[in-house]
Amino acid sequence: MSYETILTETDGAVTIITINRPKALNALSSVVLAELIEAFAAYQADDSQLCAILTGSGDKAFAAGADIKEMSDKAAADFYLEDFFGDWTSKIVKTTRKPWIAAVNGFALGGGCELAMMADFIIASDNAKFGQPEIKLGVAPGMGGSQRLTRAIGKSKSMEMCLTGRMMGAEEAERSNLVAKVVPHDDLIAEAKKTAATIAGMPPMATIANKEMVNSAFEMTLDQGLIVERRIFQILTASEDKKEGMEAFIEKREGNWKGR
Ligand code: HXC
């Protein structure tokens, strides 16, 4: 499949999706969104693909935000009537049940930071910079920044980030639990692929189940989340891979997964 603003490739069971507008610091135009929706749907539909990585091309940016040039002349009524930014959550986050990692290689600002936070987790290069600078444009986050950032790093830091528009470096982002780990810039894709390959080697149904459970922690009360966890756990005990996984442990060998 060939796209105008993104690149896709596979490495074994790992899909790599790269936002490819380096001259515009990978700004998230409506074409980027439409193509990412297609690429994530293709990943989700391909049973041979078990983990995905999203990154940005070039050395400078993961994505420097929603495309300001595209938004500058748009009327408020258009933003509202199109439910502008709604598709990011409804057509990417909600429909991608398989895991995906954001490999943040530089600026992740505004919509770029928000897109990284839509991933299951973030691996950052040591030159990554995160921020919600929308306030400087007279607006505010619109793709989840005020919600996902606050859940990730807490109210005080999130509020300070949103109100000042300042950038947070990789080391602070790791300390603040925004990212899972920081790696040297040149090692970012290799490290992300290694982590993705580890995930891709896990029993696929259990992978989806683990993702669903952890995400429930963000959507539900503790009591509801604990019920979801127990029910999904109980369903997994009926899977062929549970039988295989436990037998493989006892026989001291690797599991041979069926994905069901
Ligand atoms: C469109 C962008 C862009 C963006 C950068 N570019 N960010 N184009 N949308 N979000 C373009 C620049 O216009 C420029 O194009 C080229 O990329 C290189 O950028 P420079 O600014 O020259 O680079 P540099 O001086 O290194 O500064 C890097 C930067 C800066 C600090 C990241 O580009 C920046 O502040 N960008 C905007 C960040 C931002 O505000 N993001 C939030 C967007 S709003 P030309 O053609 O001049 O070479 C958002 C949600 C808003 O995400 C919700 C509203 C409803």
Side-chain angles (χ1 to χ4, degrees):
M1 178 68 119
S2 99
Y3 297 102
E4 189 188 321
T5 62
I6 65 171
L7 304 168
T8 59
E9 59 179 300
T10 56
D11 182 353
V14 176
T15 295
I16 301 116
I17 304 170
T18 305
I19 305 164
N20 188 33
R21 300 182 70 206
K23 285 191 183 136
L25 301 186
N26 301 320
L28 304 169
S29 64
S30 48
V31 179
V32 174
L33 170 60
E35 294 189 341
L36 286 178
I37 290 170
E38 267 193 56
F40 273 95
Y43 160 60
Q44 178 63 34
D46 185 343
D47 288 343
S48 75
Q49 295 302 294
L50 299 173
C51 191
I53 296 167
L54 178 67
T55 192
S57 72
D59 263 352
K60 235 177 130 175
F62 172 75
D67 193 316
I68 298 169
K69 291 167 190 168
E70 199 176 81
M71 291 185 297
S72 62
D73 289 334
K74 236 175 166 37
D78 295 322
F79 284 109
Y80 182 67
L81 293 170
E82 289 169 22
D83 193 18
F84 199 77
F85 290 151
D87 286 350
W88 289 98
T89 290
S90 65
K91 296 191 178 164
I92 295 179
V93 181
K94 299 282 185 199
T95 54
T96 310
R97 296 183 69 209
K98 295 196 282 195
W100 61 285
I101 302 167
V104 174
N105 54 311
F107 292 117
L109 302 177
C113 184
E114 295 169 300
L115 175 57
M117 293 188 292
M118 289 176 204
D120 296 317
F121 59 91
I122 299 171
I123 299 178
S125 94
D126 51 12
N127 73 357
K129 286 195 166 53
F130 299 86
Q132 298 293 159
E134 288 93 335
I135 194 164
K136 295 184 191 169
L137 300 169
V139 285
M143 286 163 59
S146 65
Q147 306 303 300
R148 291 194 179 100
L149 187 66
T150 307
R151 282 167 164 77
I153 69 175
K155 177 186 167 185
S156 191
K157 242 183 204 301
S158 172
M159 189 72 89
E160 183 231 359
M161 298 279 295
C162 290
L163 290 179
T164 65
R166 82 165 169 97
M167 294 186 210
M168 177 189 273
E171 188 268 327
E172 185 184 1
E174 186 177 28
R175 179 161 33 93
S176 309
N177 294 327
L178 179 56
V179 312
K181 64 177 169 181
V182 177
V183 299
H185 184 71
D186 290 342
D187 300 344
L188 177 65
I189 297 304
E191 284 290 335
K193 279 186 180 175
K194 208 162 108 187
T195 305
T198 299
I199 294 169
M202 297 296 165
M205 192 162 106
T207 305
I208 294 171
N210 273 269
K211 170 169 170 163
E212 192 173 352
M213 283 182 189
V214 175
N215 279 338
S216 297
F218 289 93
E219 313 279 350
M220 297 175 180
T221 64
L222 180 60
D223 270 352
Q224 291 166 331
L226 289 170
I227 290 171
V228 166
E229 182 188 85
R230 281 204 309 282
R231 294 294 172 257
I232 296 177
F233 162 77
Q234 289 157 358
I235 289 166
L236 284 176
T237 62
S239 69
E240 292 178 41
D241 282 346
K242 173 261 178 188
K243 192 168 176 293
E244 167 64 9
M246 295 199 178
E247 278 176 12
F249 174 80
I250 291 162
E251 292 164 14
K252 300 189 190 298
R253 60 173 175 82
E254 293 294 311
N256 182 15
W257 310 123
K258 299 227 165 46
R260 47 189 306 115

